[in-house]
Amino acid sequence: DADVTQTPRNRITKTGKRIMLECSQTKGHDRMYWYRQDPGLGLQLIYYSFDVKDINKGEISDGYSVSRQAQAKFSLSLESAIPNQTALYFCATSAQTGGRKNNEQFFGPGTRLTVL
Amino acid sequence: GNSVTQMEGPVTLSEEAFLTINCTYTATGYPSLFWYVQYPGEGLQLLLKATKADDKGSNKGFEATYRKETTSFHLEKGSVQVSDSAVYFCALSGGQGAQKLVFGQGTRLTINP
């Protein structure tokens, strides 16, 4: 059973289209994240949310928006997709802890997005 | 700010060879350190972690020791297998504020039979 699921797994779209990537989790975690992975660059944080009413920009939020519809759901939108947003996108979750010592994040399987 | 630098890849080894993937970090305070692994077509999975200086994380034959004096967290395995072929990411979290992970760029490892 997948604890963190992402839909769709693959998507091809055209420049200028609006795209939404969805993430759901059954881990009961408060904290959710969206990352982008490009070859040779590791993962870069786009947005993160520590609870339903909390949304924060990450390193590369320009051109993206997010919505935390419920504790278990966190969606990423590209309002007007462009080719350099072609990448692998990952959602992740983590539990709220009293300190900073155990920020293990659990990742979804990823969405491969291609913008033509 | 916090940053992680990993050994550049790709790395190609023969089965049963000894593996080291270097990772150094820059951080304020006392971060927690992680190694994640990404198998082909999958998301990232936590491989091991260490939360304080001199801690050793270990899993599946992999080990890494949190060295504060050298700001390093090198990943090692004594005898690699073909099934270890994957991309490995070093990451840290810590300091003030949000529990965000900062990742290195990843090292692609290929093990040949």
Side-chain angles (χ1 to χ4, degrees):
Chain A
D1 290 338
D3 292 325
V4 185
T5 58
Q6 292 184 233
T7 56
R9 294 294 312 277
N10 288 283
R11 182 72 184 268
I12 300 173
T13 191
K14 295 181 179 179
T15 298
K17 294 292 187 181
R18 184 177 188 275
I19 295 297
M20 179 180 286
L21 309 182
E22 299 189 357
C23 177
S24 295
Q25 52 110 350
T26 58
K27 301 187 76 66
H29 289 167
D30 291 319
R31 303 182 174 205
M32 299 186 75
Y33 310 79
W34 274 105
Y35 291 92
R36 162 181 178 150
Q37 184 181 24
D38 296 280
L41 290 179
L43 275 73
Q44 297 174 279
L45 183 63
I46 306 172
Y47 271 96
Y48 62 100
S49 168
F50 281 3
D51 64 42
V52 174
K53 298 180 181 179
D54 177 74
I55 300 290
N56 304 280
K57 292 183 177 181
E59 306 165 77
I60 55 162
S61 58
D62 287 349
Y64 301 95
S65 62
V66 291
S67 174
R68 185 79 184 268
Q69 301 95 322
Q71 186 203 36
K73 296 184 181 296
F74 191 37
S75 60
L76 175 72
S77 294
L78 288 68
E79 297 301 325
S80 179
I82 55 177
N84 76 2
Q85 291 177 312
T86 294
L88 194 52
Y89 290 85
F90 287 103
C91 175
T93 74
S94 69
Q96 182 179 7
T97 62
R100 55 177 169 76
K101 286 297 189 181
N102 191 25
N103 187 30
E104 177 181 352
Q105 293 187 14
F106 297 83
F107 285 79
T111 294
R112 184 170 296 281
L113 177 66
T114 302
V115 183
L116 302 176
Chain B
N2 295 345
S3 67
V4 175
T5 301
Q6 273 183 248
M7 166 180 183
E8 287 194 19
V11 175
T12 302
L13 296 172
S14 297
E15 204 165 24
E16 300 183 2
F18 183 86
L19 168 70
T20 300
I21 300 178
N22 290 338
C23 171
T24 57
Y25 68 89
T26 301
T28 55
Y30 301 90
S32 295
L33 300 173
F34 305 85
W35 276 100
Y36 280 82
V37 58
Q38 183 181 28
Y39 297 105
E42 299 183 12
L44 278 71
Q45 305 172 24
L46 180 67
L47 180 60
L48 53 83
K49 65 183 178 186
T51 58
K52 62 182 187 296
D54 299 325
D55 268 2
K56 177 185 285 187
S58 61
N59 187 26
K60 299 181 180 180
F62 291 89
E63 294 182 339
T65 301
Y66 187 162
R67 301 285 189 201
K68 192 171 189 307
E69 64 276 14
T70 54
T71 62
S72 65
F73 193 54
H74 304 322
L75 182 68
E76 297 182 336
K77 186 173 185 182
S79 177
V80 293
Q81 306 299 313
V82 173
S83 58
D84 293 328
S85 298
V87 181
Y88 292 81
F89 293 91
C90 186
L92 70 81
S93 72
Q96 298 302 315
Q99 291 183 320
K100 295 182 290 183
L101 280 177
V102 175
F103 287 88
Q105 74 271 34
T107 301
R108 181 174 298 278
L109 174 66
T110 301
I111 307 300
N112 293 321

Short mmCIF file of all heavy atoms in Angstrom, two decimals, chain A residues 9 31 33 35 37 40-43 45 48 50 90 97 99-105 107-109, chain B residues 30-32 34 36 38 41-44 46 49 51 89 93-95 98-101 103-105:
data_model
loop_
_atom_site.label_atom_id
_atom_site.label_comp_id
_atom_site.label_asym_id
_atom_site.label_seq_id
_atom_site.Cartn_x
_atom_site.Cartn_y
_atom_site.Cartn_z
N ARG A 9 1.12 10.04 -12.99
CA ARG A 9 2.53 9.62 -12.93
C ARG A 9 3.32 10.19 -14.09
O ARG A 9 4.53 10.44 -13.97
CB ARG A 9 2.63 8.09 -12.94
CG ARG A 9 2.05 7.42 -11.71
CD ARG A 9 2.87 7.75 -10.44
NE ARG A 9 4.29 7.57 -10.63
CZ ARG A 9 4.92 6.42 -10.54
NH1 ARG A 9 4.24 5.31 -10.24
NH2 ARG A 9 6.22 6.34 -10.74
N ARG A 31 2.95 17.71 7.71
CA ARG A 31 3.83 18.50 6.85
C ARG A 31 3.94 17.87 5.47
O ARG A 31 4.15 16.66 5.35
CB ARG A 31 5.21 18.62 7.49
CG ARG A 31 5.10 19.24 8.87
CD ARG A 31 6.41 19.44 9.55
NE ARG A 31 6.18 20.18 10.81
CZ ARG A 31 7.07 20.92 11.41
NH1 ARG A 31 8.27 21.05 10.89
NH2 ARG A 31 6.78 21.54 12.53
N TYR A 33 5.37 18.61 1.22
CA TYR A 33 6.37 19.34 0.44
C TYR A 33 6.22 19.00 -1.04
O TYR A 33 5.83 17.89 -1.39
CB TYR A 33 7.79 18.92 0.87
CG TYR A 33 8.05 18.95 2.36
CD1 TYR A 33 7.61 17.91 3.17
CD2 TYR A 33 8.76 19.99 2.95
CE1 TYR A 33 7.86 17.92 4.55
CE2 TYR A 33 9.01 20.00 4.32
CZ TYR A 33 8.56 18.96 5.10
OH TYR A 33 8.81 18.98 6.45
N TYR A 35 8.78 19.04 -4.44
CA TYR A 35 10.13 19.21 -4.95
C TYR A 35 10.13 19.03 -6.46
O TYR A 35 9.31 18.31 -7.03
CB TYR A 35 11.07 18.14 -4.37
CG TYR A 35 11.38 18.26 -2.92
CD1 TYR A 35 10.60 17.59 -1.97
CD2 TYR A 35 12.45 19.02 -2.47
CE1 TYR A 35 10.90 17.67 -0.62
CE2 TYR A 35 12.75 19.11 -1.12
CZ TYR A 35 11.97 18.42 -0.21
OH TYR A 35 12.26 18.51 1.13
N GLN A 37 12.93 17.76 -9.46
CA GLN A 37 14.23 17.13 -9.69
C GLN A 37 14.64 17.31 -11.14
O GLN A 37 13.92 16.90 -12.05
CB GLN A 37 14.19 15.63 -9.34
CG GLN A 37 15.54 14.96 -9.48
CD GLN A 37 15.51 13.49 -9.17
OE1 GLN A 37 14.47 12.83 -9.26
NE2 GLN A 37 16.65 12.94 -8.80
N GLY A 40 21.31 16.17 -12.41
CA GLY A 40 22.52 16.83 -11.92
C GLY A 40 22.29 17.93 -10.92
O GLY A 40 23.25 18.54 -10.44
N LEU A 41 21.04 18.18 -10.54
CA LEU A 41 20.77 19.28 -9.62
C LEU A 41 20.13 18.83 -8.32
O LEU A 41 19.77 19.63 -7.50
CB LEU A 41 19.84 20.31 -10.28
CG LEU A 41 20.44 21.13 -11.40
CD1 LEU A 41 19.40 22.09 -11.96
CD2 LEU A 41 21.67 21.91 -10.91
N GLY A 42 19.98 17.56 -8.14
CA GLY A 42 19.34 17.11 -6.91
C GLY A 42 17.89 17.53 -6.88
O GLY A 42 17.25 17.72 -7.92
N LEU A 43 17.37 17.72 -5.69
CA LEU A 43 15.99 18.14 -5.52
C LEU A 43 15.95 19.58 -5.03
O LEU A 43 16.70 19.96 -4.14
CB LEU A 43 15.26 17.25 -4.51
CG LEU A 43 14.67 15.97 -5.05
CD1 LEU A 43 15.74 14.96 -5.36
CD2 LEU A 43 13.66 15.39 -4.06
N LEU A 45 13.34 22.57 -3.52
CA LEU A 45 12.05 22.73 -2.85
C LEU A 45 11.24 23.83 -3.52
O LEU A 45 11.73 24.96 -3.68
CB LEU A 45 12.29 23.06 -1.39
CG LEU A 45 11.08 23.19 -0.49
CD1 LEU A 45 10.32 21.87 -0.40
CD2 LEU A 45 11.52 23.65 0.90
N TYR A 48 6.16 24.35 0.58
CA TYR A 48 5.91 23.43 1.67
C TYR A 48 4.81 23.96 2.56
O TYR A 48 4.53 25.16 2.58
CB TYR A 48 7.19 23.14 2.47
CG TYR A 48 7.83 24.32 3.14
CD1 TYR A 48 7.64 24.56 4.49
CD2 TYR A 48 8.67 25.17 2.43
CE1 TYR A 48 8.25 25.63 5.11
CE2 TYR A 48 9.28 26.24 3.04
CZ TYR A 48 9.09 26.48 4.38
OH TYR A 48 9.69 27.54 4.99
N PHE A 50 3.03 23.27 6.53
CA PHE A 50 3.16 22.60 7.82
C PHE A 50 1.79 22.27 8.44
O PHE A 50 1.73 21.53 9.42
CB PHE A 50 3.98 23.44 8.79
CG PHE A 50 5.46 23.33 8.56
CD1 PHE A 50 5.97 22.57 7.51
CD2 PHE A 50 6.36 23.98 9.37
CE1 PHE A 50 7.34 22.45 7.28
CE2 PHE A 50 7.73 23.88 9.16
CZ PHE A 50 8.22 23.11 8.13
N PHE A 90 8.29 15.63 -7.18
CA PHE A 90 8.04 14.74 -6.05
C PHE A 90 7.29 15.47 -4.94
O PHE A 90 7.59 16.61 -4.61
CB PHE A 90 9.36 14.23 -5.46
CG PHE A 90 10.04 13.21 -6.32
CD1 PHE A 90 11.13 13.57 -7.08
CD2 PHE A 90 9.59 11.91 -6.35
CE1 PHE A 90 11.77 12.63 -7.88
CE2 PHE A 90 10.22 10.97 -7.14
CZ PHE A 90 11.31 11.34 -7.91
N THR A 97 7.50 17.13 14.71
CA THR A 97 8.19 16.63 15.90
C THR A 97 8.48 17.79 16.82
O THR A 97 8.51 18.94 16.40
CB THR A 97 9.50 15.92 15.54
OG1 THR A 97 10.38 16.88 14.93
CG2 THR A 97 9.26 14.79 14.58
N GLY A 99 11.28 18.59 18.15
CA GLY A 99 12.55 19.24 17.82
C GLY A 99 12.85 19.10 16.35
O GLY A 99 12.00 18.76 15.56
N ARG A 100 14.08 19.31 16.00
CA ARG A 100 14.46 19.29 14.59
C ARG A 100 15.26 18.06 14.24
O ARG A 100 15.85 17.96 13.18
CB ARG A 100 15.31 20.52 14.30
CG ARG A 100 16.50 20.64 15.22
CD ARG A 100 17.38 21.83 14.88
NE ARG A 100 18.35 22.07 15.92
CZ ARG A 100 19.44 21.34 16.10
NH1 ARG A 100 19.67 20.32 15.32
NH2 ARG A 100 20.28 21.62 17.06
N LYS A 101 15.27 17.09 15.12
CA LYS A 101 16.23 16.02 14.97
C LYS A 101 15.77 14.86 14.12
O LYS A 101 16.54 13.99 13.82
CB LYS A 101 16.61 15.49 16.37
CG LYS A 101 17.52 16.43 17.12
CD LYS A 101 18.85 16.61 16.40
CE LYS A 101 19.85 17.36 17.25
NZ LYS A 101 21.12 17.54 16.53
N ASN A 102 14.53 14.81 13.77
CA ASN A 102 14.08 13.62 13.05
C ASN A 102 13.20 14.00 11.89
O ASN A 102 12.09 13.53 11.76
CB ASN A 102 13.34 12.68 14.00
CG ASN A 102 13.11 11.33 13.35
OD1 ASN A 102 13.83 10.93 12.45
ND2 ASN A 102 12.07 10.64 13.78
N ASN A 103 13.70 14.87 11.03
CA ASN A 103 12.91 15.31 9.90
C ASN A 103 12.99 14.34 8.75
O ASN A 103 13.35 14.71 7.63
CB ASN A 103 13.35 16.70 9.46
CG ASN A 103 12.44 17.26 8.40
OD1 ASN A 103 11.26 16.96 8.36
ND2 ASN A 103 12.98 18.07 7.52
N GLU A 104 12.67 13.06 9.00
CA GLU A 104 12.64 12.10 7.91
C GLU A 104 11.46 12.41 7.02
O GLU A 104 10.33 12.55 7.51
CB GLU A 104 12.52 10.68 8.44
CG GLU A 104 12.42 9.65 7.33
CD GLU A 104 12.28 8.24 7.86
OE1 GLU A 104 12.41 8.05 9.08
OE2 GLU A 104 12.05 7.33 7.05
N GLN A 105 11.68 12.52 5.74
CA GLN A 105 10.62 12.78 4.79
C GLN A 105 10.35 11.51 3.99
O GLN A 105 11.25 10.76 3.65
CB GLN A 105 10.97 13.95 3.88
CG GLN A 105 11.05 15.27 4.65
CD GLN A 105 11.23 16.47 3.76
OE1 GLN A 105 11.06 16.43 2.55
NE2 GLN A 105 11.58 17.60 4.38
N PHE A 107 8.65 10.05 0.53
CA PHE A 107 8.42 10.56 -0.82
C PHE A 107 7.40 9.73 -1.59
O PHE A 107 7.34 8.50 -1.45
CB PHE A 107 9.73 10.58 -1.60
CG PHE A 107 10.64 11.70 -1.18
CD1 PHE A 107 11.40 11.61 -0.03
CD2 PHE A 107 10.72 12.87 -1.94
CE1 PHE A 107 12.23 12.66 0.36
CE2 PHE A 107 11.56 13.91 -1.56
CZ PHE A 107 12.30 13.80 -0.40
N GLY A 108 6.65 10.42 -2.45
CA GLY A 108 5.82 9.74 -3.41
C GLY A 108 6.65 9.24 -4.58
O GLY A 108 7.86 9.50 -4.65
N PRO A 109 6.03 8.54 -5.52
CA PRO A 109 6.78 7.94 -6.63
C PRO A 109 7.17 8.92 -7.72
O PRO A 109 7.96 8.58 -8.61
CB PRO A 109 5.79 6.90 -7.18
CG PRO A 109 4.45 7.47 -6.84
CD PRO A 109 4.62 8.16 -5.52
N TYR B 30 23.60 22.45 14.59
CA TYR B 30 23.86 21.02 14.59
C TYR B 30 22.80 20.31 13.76
O TYR B 30 21.79 19.87 14.28
CB TYR B 30 23.86 20.51 16.04
CG TYR B 30 24.89 21.20 16.89
CD1 TYR B 30 24.58 22.36 17.60
CD2 TYR B 30 26.19 20.72 16.95
CE1 TYR B 30 25.53 23.02 18.35
CE2 TYR B 30 27.16 21.38 17.72
CZ TYR B 30 26.82 22.52 18.40
OH TYR B 30 27.76 23.17 19.15
N PRO B 31 23.06 20.17 12.47
CA PRO B 31 22.05 19.57 11.61
C PRO B 31 21.92 18.07 11.80
O PRO B 31 22.81 17.44 12.36
CB PRO B 31 22.58 19.87 10.20
CG PRO B 31 24.06 19.92 10.38
CD PRO B 31 24.27 20.56 11.74
N SER B 32 20.83 17.52 11.34
CA SER B 32 20.71 16.09 11.15
C SER B 32 21.11 15.77 9.71
O SER B 32 20.90 16.58 8.80
CB SER B 32 19.25 15.64 11.38
OG SER B 32 18.89 15.85 12.72
N PHE B 34 21.32 12.86 6.42
CA PHE B 34 20.58 11.74 5.83
C PHE B 34 21.25 11.30 4.54
O PHE B 34 21.87 12.10 3.82
CB PHE B 34 19.15 12.17 5.48
CG PHE B 34 18.37 12.77 6.62
CD1 PHE B 34 18.49 14.12 6.93
CD2 PHE B 34 17.49 11.99 7.35
CE1 PHE B 34 17.76 14.68 7.97
CE2 PHE B 34 16.75 12.54 8.38
CZ PHE B 34 16.89 13.88 8.69
N TYR B 36 19.60 9.40 1.20
CA TYR B 36 18.43 8.85 0.53
C TYR B 36 18.90 8.11 -0.72
O TYR B 36 19.92 8.47 -1.34
CB TYR B 36 17.47 9.97 0.10
CG TYR B 36 16.58 10.48 1.21
CD1 TYR B 36 17.04 11.42 2.13
CD2 TYR B 36 15.28 10.02 1.35
CE1 TYR B 36 16.22 11.89 3.14
CE2 TYR B 36 14.45 10.49 2.36
CZ TYR B 36 14.94 11.42 3.25
OH TYR B 36 14.12 11.88 4.25
N GLN B 38 17.49 6.51 -4.54
CA GLN B 38 16.43 6.52 -5.56
C GLN B 38 16.72 5.43 -6.56
O GLN B 38 17.65 5.54 -7.37
CB GLN B 38 16.37 7.89 -6.24
CG GLN B 38 15.25 8.01 -7.24
CD GLN B 38 15.23 9.37 -7.93
OE1 GLN B 38 16.26 10.04 -8.07
NE2 GLN B 38 14.06 9.80 -8.36
N GLY B 41 13.06 4.66 -11.60
CA GLY B 41 11.61 4.77 -11.72
C GLY B 41 10.86 4.94 -10.41
O GLY B 41 9.62 4.89 -10.40
N GLU B 42 11.58 5.16 -9.33
CA GLU B 42 10.92 5.27 -8.03
C GLU B 42 11.23 6.59 -7.36
O GLU B 42 12.10 7.36 -7.80
CB GLU B 42 11.37 4.12 -7.12
CG GLU B 42 11.02 2.75 -7.66
CD GLU B 42 11.42 1.65 -6.69
OE1 GLU B 42 11.76 1.94 -5.53
OE2 GLU B 42 11.38 0.48 -7.11
N GLY B 43 10.52 6.86 -6.28
CA GLY B 43 10.80 8.03 -5.47
C GLY B 43 11.99 7.78 -4.54
O GLY B 43 12.60 6.72 -4.57
N LEU B 44 12.30 8.76 -3.73
CA LEU B 44 13.43 8.63 -2.81
C LEU B 44 13.01 7.84 -1.56
O LEU B 44 11.90 7.99 -1.06
CB LEU B 44 13.92 10.02 -2.37
CG LEU B 44 14.86 10.74 -3.32
CD1 LEU B 44 14.14 11.20 -4.56
CD2 LEU B 44 15.52 11.92 -2.61
N LEU B 46 14.52 6.77 2.39
CA LEU B 46 15.57 7.00 3.37
C LEU B 46 16.43 5.75 3.50
O LEU B 46 15.92 4.64 3.71
CB LEU B 46 14.96 7.35 4.73
CG LEU B 46 15.97 7.61 5.84
CD1 LEU B 46 16.75 8.89 5.54
CD2 LEU B 46 15.28 7.72 7.19
N LYS B 49 20.40 7.58 8.57
CA LYS B 49 20.46 8.94 9.09
C LYS B 49 21.31 8.98 10.35
O LYS B 49 21.58 7.95 10.98
CB LYS B 49 19.05 9.45 9.40
CG LYS B 49 18.36 8.69 10.52
CD LYS B 49 16.95 9.18 10.73
CE LYS B 49 16.25 8.37 11.82
NZ LYS B 49 14.81 8.72 11.94
N THR B 51 21.81 11.90 13.74
CA THR B 51 21.26 13.15 14.27
C THR B 51 22.23 13.93 15.14
O THR B 51 21.94 15.06 15.50
CB THR B 51 19.97 12.88 15.07
OG1 THR B 51 20.29 11.98 16.13
CG2 THR B 51 18.90 12.29 14.18
N PHE B 89 21.50 10.34 -2.61
CA PHE B 89 21.45 11.75 -2.25
C PHE B 89 21.82 11.92 -0.79
O PHE B 89 21.24 11.28 0.09
CB PHE B 89 20.04 12.32 -2.45
CG PHE B 89 19.59 12.40 -3.87
CD1 PHE B 89 18.89 11.35 -4.45
CD2 PHE B 89 19.86 13.52 -4.63
CE1 PHE B 89 18.47 11.42 -5.77
CE2 PHE B 89 19.44 13.61 -5.95
CZ PHE B 89 18.74 12.55 -6.52
N SER B 93 19.10 18.52 7.48
CA SER B 93 18.08 19.42 8.00
C SER B 93 18.57 19.95 9.33
O SER B 93 19.33 19.29 10.03
CB SER B 93 16.74 18.72 8.18
OG SER B 93 16.78 17.82 9.25
N GLY B 94 18.13 21.15 9.66
CA GLY B 94 18.55 21.68 10.94
C GLY B 94 18.64 23.17 10.94
O GLY B 94 18.25 23.84 9.99
N GLY B 95 19.15 23.71 12.01
CA GLY B 95 19.18 25.15 12.17
C GLY B 95 17.84 25.65 12.63
O GLY B 95 16.93 24.91 12.94
N ALA B 98 12.17 26.25 9.82
CA ALA B 98 11.49 25.10 9.24
C ALA B 98 12.40 23.87 9.15
O ALA B 98 13.60 23.98 9.01
CB ALA B 98 10.98 25.45 7.85
N GLN B 99 11.77 22.71 9.23
CA GLN B 99 12.51 21.45 9.11
C GLN B 99 12.64 21.09 7.64
O GLN B 99 12.15 20.07 7.20
CB GLN B 99 11.78 20.36 9.86
CG GLN B 99 11.81 20.54 11.36
CD GLN B 99 11.14 19.38 12.05
OE1 GLN B 99 10.11 18.88 11.59
NE2 GLN B 99 11.68 18.93 13.17
N LYS B 100 13.31 21.91 6.89
CA LYS B 100 13.45 21.63 5.47
C LYS B 100 14.69 20.80 5.24
O LYS B 100 15.70 20.93 5.91
CB LYS B 100 13.56 22.95 4.69
CG LYS B 100 12.30 23.79 4.75
CD LYS B 100 12.45 25.05 3.92
CE LYS B 100 13.43 26.01 4.54
NZ LYS B 100 13.51 27.26 3.75
N LEU B 101 14.61 19.95 4.23
CA LEU B 101 15.77 19.18 3.80
C LEU B 101 16.49 19.93 2.70
O LEU B 101 15.86 20.46 1.79
CB LEU B 101 15.34 17.82 3.27
CG LEU B 101 15.02 16.73 4.28
CD1 LEU B 101 14.55 15.48 3.55
CD2 LEU B 101 16.22 16.41 5.14
N PHE B 103 19.30 19.12 -0.18
CA PHE B 103 19.88 17.96 -0.84
C PHE B 103 21.16 18.30 -1.58
O PHE B 103 21.31 19.39 -2.13
CB PHE B 103 18.89 17.38 -1.86
CG PHE B 103 17.74 16.66 -1.24
CD1 PHE B 103 16.59 17.34 -0.89
CD2 PHE B 103 17.79 15.29 -1.03
CE1 PHE B 103 15.51 16.68 -0.33
CE2 PHE B 103 16.72 14.63 -0.46
CZ PHE B 103 15.57 15.32 -0.11
N GLY B 104 22.06 17.32 -1.64
CA GLY B 104 23.14 17.39 -2.60
C GLY B 104 22.62 17.06 -3.98
O GLY B 104 21.44 16.74 -4.16
N GLN B 105 23.49 17.12 -4.96
CA GLN B 105 23.05 16.97 -6.35
C GLN B 105 22.82 15.52 -6.75
O GLN B 105 22.30 15.26 -7.84
CB GLN B 105 24.05 17.63 -7.31
CG GLN B 105 25.35 16.86 -7.51
CD GLN B 105 26.40 17.25 -6.50
OE1 GLN B 105 26.12 17.58 -5.35
NE2 GLN B 105 27.65 17.21 -6.92
#
